[in-house]
Amino acid sequence: MVDRSTPPTGPTRPPLSGASLTLRLTGIALVVAALAGAFAYVNGTFDPQRLTPKKLINVLETNNGVHPGFRRNHAKGVCVIGHFESTAQARSYSSAQVFSEAQTPVVGRFALPAGNPYAPDSAVPIRSMALRFTQANGQQWRTGMNSMPVFPVGTPEAFYQLQQAQSPLPATGKPDPAAVPAFFGSHPETAPFLAWIKTAKPSASYATETYNSVNAFYLVNASGQRQAVRWNMVPVAQDATGATAPEGSDFLEKDLVQRLSAGPLRWQLMITLANPGDPVNDASKAWPDGRKVLNAGTLVLERTQPQLNGECRDINYDPLVLPSGIEGSDDPLLAARSAGYASSYLRRTSEVSQLPAAKQEAQQ
């Protein structure tokens, strides 16, 4: 949503005419369509017995409603612009240019989970940060992180079943109250997430959160050596313990604009190295304490932009868009996220003719 009373803190692109906007997003959609087809094939789109990206996005729409022009998950958010300042600590582990250059430009997005762009900010305790690093050689690193330490489940199928448990029943229009408890009771791997969620409270600011990759990846150096890792963006904000969220629907974006008006916000990119035997294909399992941690550099965010016409609007934060020197693990959730994001992207860009109405509604 856009707060009319708050002017943008940085330059935004001039409004596009209906025709030019349509052409622009249609062109992007065609490129992503080819990528989506490749991911969909890998993930079983042509096998009706397997979970497909279409089924996954359909159940999200069933649970959240369809909001034309918005993402099917993490629908409510705000664009951010900044850069990344690297240290030397990750350079021996990865040949990625982002770890060797002094600065790399970043376009990011803060958001809430779920697919309702009008949900109150206090509705859920989870916040997300998505980033696109654009290296000098043209390669990109895209990552989507969440404030939760682990994912509820370890497979796309279990995630789909969890969404089904929350779907409204045709007879009542409401979910079966016994379905979600039954799901958790039959999935013991959800215990770490449930332990966290019981004490988690909605924070008052995006700036005070730690954001976690949750999934594992590999850093690859110039010699081809691979090291399994997870990473965290840890806030430098002095009040990083986080205050209780205030009442109201849209305090997170307002807080972010106010903080950035006083100066840049910073996070440290902390990369945790796995030990042999640590699970690298199951995001529901945390790694034990005591692992080596690298301080790979500082994320510096300088200004915000509205998500409906800011630079992050047209970015699909696919976690498998990676530069040389970073590789995805065999965590099945990564492939599912990639395919699901592509499916969501195609749907929202195909709704470009409805964006003006969506924009007017968001600004009211």
Side-chain angles (χ1 to χ4, degrees):
M1 292 187 181
V2 178
D3 177 17
R4 280 184 166 179
S5 65
T6 305
T9 59
T12 59
R13 291 176 294 176
L16 297 173
S17 67
S20 61
L21 181 60
T22 300
L23 287 173
R24 177 182 180 185
L25 291 185
T26 300
I28 295 171
L30 290 174
V31 174
V32 176
L35 296 175
F39 282 119
Y41 180 82
V42 171
N43 286 279
T45 292
F46 305 113
D47 181 351
Q49 303 304 314
R50 297 175 62 188
L51 176 62
T52 66
K54 181 179 179 180
K55 289 181 180 179
L56 188 58
I57 300 304
N58 282 349
V59 75
L60 292 176
E61 290 183 349
T62 298
N63 294 353
N64 299 311
V66 178
H67 303 280
F70 288 94
R71 299 167 197 258
R72 267 40 182 187
N73 200 11
H74 299 275
K76 184 179 184 180
V78 57
C79 297
V80 284
I81 306 297
H83 65 272
F84 178 74
E85 301 172 352
S86 68
T87 68
Q89 293 192 23
R91 294 174 188 174
S92 63
Y93 292 91
S94 174
S95 60
Q97 201 174 56
V98 67
F99 301 126
S100 60
E101 292 290 319
Q103 288 193 9
T104 301
V106 171
V107 177
R109 184 175 183 269
F110 288 108
L112 296 180
N116 182 3
Y118 313 111
D121 291 350
S122 57
V124 291
I126 301 171
R127 281 77 171 96
S128 71
M129 171 193 279
L131 302 171
R132 183 193 68 184
F133 304 77
T134 302
Q135 298 181 159
N137 62 5
Q139 295 182 5
Q140 295 183 4
W141 174 23
R142 304 186 191 183
T143 177
M145 298 164 284
N146 289 286
S147 59
M148 59 190 180
V150 292
F151 203 69
V153 293
T155 67
E157 291 76 16
F159 178 72
Y160 179 67
Q161 292 164 12
L162 175 58
Q163 298 306 308
Q164 286 183 307
Q166 300 174 73
S167 295
L169 299 173
T172 64
K174 299 180 180 179
D176 180 352
V180 171
F183 173 86
F184 285 124
S186 63
H187 287 80
E189 75 274 17
T190 61
F193 175 81
L194 291 177
W196 174 78
I197 203 72
K198 286 179 181 178
T199 60
K201 297 179 180 179
S203 65
S205 177
Y206 285 128
T208 60
E209 291 286 346
T210 293
Y211 299 93
N212 310 299
S213 70
V214 181
N215 302 109
F217 295 81
Y218 287 98
L219 298 185
V220 185
N221 65 18
S223 301
Q225 296 173 308
R226 302 168 82 233
Q227 169 65 55
V229 300
R230 288 173 174 167
W231 53 74
N232 319 84
M233 282 291 183
V234 180
V236 180
Q238 292 183 353
D239 59 341
T241 53
T244 302
E247 296 294 328
S249 297
D250 307 308
F251 54 83
L252 285 171
E253 183 173 350
K254 294 176 184 178
D255 171 84
L256 189 65
V257 170
Q258 181 178 3
R259 287 173 183 265
L260 286 171
S261 69
L265 295 172
R266 292 175 170 83
W267 283 256
Q268 300 294 324
L269 174 56
M270 310 302 291
I271 299 180
T272 302
L273 310 185
N275 280 3
D278 287 342
V280 297
N281 62 352
D282 190 340
S284 69
K285 295 180 179 178
W287 291 348
D289 293 334
R291 301 296 180 258
K292 183 175 181 178
V293 179
L294 311 174
N295 184 344
T298 303
L299 172 68
V300 182
L301 296 182
E302 298 157 328
R303 64 185 190 275
T304 65
Q305 295 176 340
Q307 71 165 351
L308 289 177
N309 63 359
E311 294 178 57
C312 77
R313 182 195 65 190
D314 299 338
I315 300 175
N316 171 14
Y317 288 98
D318 182 339
L320 289 181
V321 174
L322 302 167
S324 299
I326 307 177
E327 296 179 355
S329 68
D330 60 354
D331 185 337
L333 287 174
L334 279 174
R337 287 176 63 190
S338 180
Y341 288 10
S343 179
S344 170
Y345 186 91
L346 288 173
R347 293 192 190 191
R348 67 184 177 91
T349 53
S350 71
E351 298 158 351
V352 64
S353 62
Q354 302 175 56
L355 274 173
K359 182 176 180 179
Q360 292 171 10
E361 184 179 358
Q363 290 179 329
Q364 291 176 353

